[in-house]
Amino acid sequence: MKIALLGYGRMGKAIESIALDRGHEIVVKIDEDIENYSLAEMDIDVAIDFSIPDAAYNNITSCFKAGIPVVSGTTGWLDNYDKAVEICNEHKSGFIYASNFSLGVNIFFELNKKLASLMKNLDEYGVEIEEIHHTKKLDAPSGTAISLANHIIETNDRKENWSLESAKEYEIPILAKRIDDIPGTHTVSYTSKIDDIEIIHTAHSREGFAKGAVIAAEWIKDRKGEYSMKDVLSTLL
């Protein structure tokens, strides 16, 4: 498979290593203005986007217009997500966005949904989310933390939104911490006067994120439309 890397920071380099190990070819690495590249003239099967929030929408939609399916893990641009999906469908391309491509995190998402359903009627428990990442992460809270909060909100009628740090009664507080060399730790906590219940996912390296993104790219090749990592996992688990 021939891959274009959109964004060549630490995640881009990790994805390159995994992709090469799995027998794929990196056709181009774009870490500048995508308008400088004639994507339609390149032999690209899939693009993997781990760029920056300000560049993500243009990167992704430029690929769709060139007939290239995209796997994107860039967070902080989702106000334009629906428009991106429209362009994907208009050009009959394929798209997978995930706030986190780690297979372990996506299993963690399913555990979070199950726990939320068990806790939804237990008013005595408060809920909060903590996320810890490296200091070079530009957005806060993390996309993974937002996904966890939204999964809880979908189940819990008493919660309508999330809020960074402080929160009202109807909001889920998300605590965001930035510490050097922490790939990513997410904790969902339910606390009461009697006891606490926590589920935790701790990443030890970026390899899990990179491997999941490459597996998603292998999966989306030759597919049309919008998908999620749940679709990918359904064929693996």
Side-chain angles (χ1 to χ4, degrees):
M1 186 171 66
K2 297 180 179 181
I3 298 172
L5 292 180
L6 311 181
Y8 196 57
R10 289 188 288 181
M11 269 302 298
K13 291 177 174 66
I15 288 167
E16 179 182 34
S17 177
I18 296 290
L20 293 175
D21 285 346
R22 293 174 73 91
H24 303 307
E25 176 185 350
I26 306 300
V27 176
V28 63
K29 294 173 277 193
I30 300 176
D31 205 20
E32 53 186 279
D33 190 345
I34 200 169
E35 304 296 340
N36 296 330
Y37 293 83
S38 300
L39 298 175
E41 298 175 9
M42 297 180 179
D43 187 12
I44 298 170
D45 293 315
V46 181
I48 302 179
D49 169 62
F50 276 84
S51 54
I52 60 174
D54 288 345
Y57 175 76
N58 192 40
N59 285 345
I60 292 163
T61 55
S62 294
C63 289
F64 293 154
K65 293 171 184 177
I68 300 168
V70 178
V71 165
S72 176
T74 305
T75 57
W77 66 276
L78 294 184
D79 287 347
N80 290 316
Y81 179 84
D82 290 341
K83 289 193 291 184
V85 172
E86 287 178 11
I87 294 171
C88 171
N89 292 331
E90 178 185 348
H91 292 272
K92 296 181 172 56
S93 192
F95 187 34
I96 297 176
Y97 167 78
S99 58
N100 196 313
F101 280 94
S102 162
L103 301 183
V105 164
N106 280 276
I107 293 170
F108 187 64
F109 284 157
E110 298 305 311
L111 291 173
N112 178 56
K113 292 175 187 176
K114 179 63 176 177
L115 181 57
S117 70
L118 293 172
M119 303 298 292
K120 65 180 181 180
N121 295 322
L122 299 179
D123 296 352
E124 63 268 33
Y125 286 89
V127 59
E128 72 174 26
I129 297 169
E130 179 186 81
E131 58 99 338
I132 308 172
H133 282 87
H134 52 86
T135 53
K136 292 185 179 180
K137 184 169 179 59
L138 298 178
D139 56 317
S142 69
T144 300
I146 293 172
S147 293
L148 290 165
N150 286 336
H151 295 159
I152 296 169
I153 291 164
E154 289 168 5
T155 302
N156 191 323
D157 294 336
R158 291 176 284 113
K159 300 299 181 182
E160 299 175 8
N161 207 340
W162 58 266
S163 180
L164 188 60
E165 306 302 336
S166 62
K168 298 180 175 64
E169 184 177 350
Y170 59 87
E171 296 175 325
I172 299 171
I174 301 179
L175 311 179
K177 299 179 181 178
R178 297 293 174 262
I179 301 173
D180 284 341
D181 299 323
I182 300 293
T185 298
H186 292 85
T187 305
V188 179
S189 302
Y190 290 85
T191 60
S192 76
K193 294 180 180 179
I194 298 173
D195 57 14
D196 298 343
I197 301 170
E198 293 184 342
I199 55 172
I200 302 172
H201 179 274
T202 302
H204 300 303
S205 72
R206 292 177 181 80
E207 184 177 345
F209 312 135
K211 184 176 180 180
V214 174
I215 289 172
E218 293 167 349
W219 190 92
I220 196 66
K221 181 180 178 292
D222 300 325
R223 283 184 164 91
K224 314 293 183 188
E226 174 198 12
Y227 297 94
S228 70
M229 275 302 284
K230 188 171 184 177
D231 297 306
V232 178
L233 285 175
S234 68
T235 65
L236 298 176
L237 300 178

